[in-house]
Amino acid sequence: MEAPYAKLEELEPGIARVLAHNPSAFTYYGTQTYLVGSGEVAVIDPGPDLPEHLDALEKAIGGRRVAAITCTHTHRDHSPAARPLAERTGAQIIGCAALALETVGPRADASFDGDYRPDRELADGDAIEVDGERIIAVATPGHTSNHLCFAWRGALFSGDHVMGWSTTVVVPPDGDMAAYMQSLDKLRQRDDRVYYPAHGPPVDKPQQYVRHLVGHRIQREKQILRLVGEKPRAIPDIVANAYPGLDPRLVVAAGGSVLAHLLDLERRSLVEQQQDLWTAA
Ligand SMILES: [Zn+2]
């Protein structure tokens, strides 16, 4: 299958998508940039700063007014094209906050875009206007502390919070499992008809899918509790037992997710840490 790089795909009236050429074990075929609106457009997750992708976006915009360039969060596969696209179109960057790097020690790693600077930040419930309609920000911390989803006409642009191809990576210190679970619960209380994630296909039964994701994390948590209940274990040992046959490229990310679960369980006084060994409390 040839992925549709640099091609404009119409998904429904007012929603189109352009796939960036940055495939990887974490991005699937690449980052999907969404164009929302008709007479004017908002650009959601402009993606990596690749000239070919920026050219494709500029062509897709086709001279229309860009009401906003917005990012769900500031991982390097989502936000670096924001500034160059703003320079090409004259639009403002309105969206998630820049990452607070020093709130509890350095929260960033190499996957973060430290250069991201929005012209205006959106908080939960804030809106961007496109064609006189509102795109509403839905704060969904967990994958990152600054993650936003965006709601428009019953569609939810779900970024990396909920993806159509894989479970979400939640890596401390910026990723937080308890926040992620609360953010899933927040989506469960909404009635969006479809999710458009930054990676992977649309999710057309969102409620069912979010219930499945919550169940998956609860199973993972039980499994980790069982493993550390047998004997004190280090994270690589837990990963080896909990993720049999894991793609070697994903071992570090799986270790991060296990750590996120353990920190959440520690906060709930269910596990304890001694040096690098974790044990049931
Ligand atoms: Zn991400």
Side-chain angles (χ1 to χ4, degrees):
M1 174 189 148
E2 183 57 31
Y5 295 117
K7 293 203 175 78
L8 182 67
E9 299 174 278
E10 298 279 349
L11 301 175
E12 59 176 90
I15 299 181
R17 175 175 80 180
V18 180
L19 176 65
H21 195 267
N22 60 333
S24 78
F26 296 97
T27 61
Y28 199 49
Y29 288 103
T31 303
Q32 299 173 131
T33 300
Y34 292 99
L35 269 58
V36 180
S38 301
E40 53 183 28
V41 289
V43 178
I44 298 180
D45 279 343
D49 183 5
L50 300 174
E52 172 203 71
H53 186 57
L54 283 158
D55 290 348
L57 290 178
E58 208 176 349
K59 189 168 160 220
I61 292 162
R64 287 177 290 177
R65 179 178 174 269
V66 178
I69 297 165
T70 192
C71 300
T72 57
H73 64 297
T74 48
H75 276 149
R76 290 198 162 278
D77 54 326
H78 291 257
S79 54
R83 188 54 61 191
L85 189 64
E87 280 163 10
R88 287 187 187 211
T89 60
Q92 286 206 318
I93 301 170
I94 303 171
C96 72
L99 195 68
L101 291 174
E102 301 294 342
T103 48
V104 280
R107 294 176 73 91
D109 59 40
S111 67
F112 280 92
D113 172 13
D115 297 329
Y116 169 81
R117 296 283 177 278
D119 299 302
R120 179 156 74 87
E121 284 181 18
L122 297 177
D124 188 48
D126 286 351
I128 301 164
E129 280 218 4
V130 180
D131 291 336
E133 281 183 74
R134 289 152 60 85
I135 300 176
I136 310 281
V138 181
T140 43
H143 172 65
T144 60
S145 57
N146 63 355
H147 196 288
L148 300 177
C149 294
F150 293 97
W152 187 76
R153 290 188 187 169
L156 187 82
F157 299 90
S158 58
D160 283 4
H161 177 50
V162 173
M163 296 189 285
W165 74 291
S166 159
T167 56
T168 290
V169 172
V170 178
V171 176
D174 192 58
D176 183 300
M177 191 59 71
Y180 169 73
M181 294 294 278
Q182 278 166 20
S183 293
L184 284 181
D185 212 51
K186 186 172 189 174
L187 295 199
R188 217 154 44 148
Q189 290 165 37
R190 300 174 50 88
D191 58 355
D192 304 294
R193 74 188 147 75
V194 63
Y195 292 173
Y196 292 117
H199 311 280
V203 176
D204 58 9
K205 291 199 176 72
Q207 295 302 316
Q208 194 178 318
Y209 189 62
V210 169
R211 275 199 303 277
H212 157 79
L213 291 176
V214 170
H216 170 77
R217 295 294 172 162
I218 290 170
Q219 285 308 316
R220 182 70 77 208
E221 183 183 283
K222 278 187 188 156
Q223 189 181 26
I224 290 169
L225 274 173
R226 183 176 57 72
L227 286 165
V228 300
E230 288 169 3
K231 60 173 187 180
R233 291 180 192 266
I235 286 174
D237 180 21
I238 298 171
V239 170
N241 280 281
Y243 298 80
L246 182 66
D247 181 337
R249 294 173 300 173
L250 299 179
V251 166
V252 171
S257 274
V258 167
L259 175 60
H261 273 294
L262 288 167
L263 292 173
D264 180 33
L265 291 166
E266 188 183 39
R267 261 184 308 219
R268 289 149 57 197
S269 304
L270 293 169
V271 301
E272 289 169 357
Q273 183 181 15
Q274 289 139 3
Q275 273 100 43
D276 59 349
L277 291 179
W278 291 84
T279 183

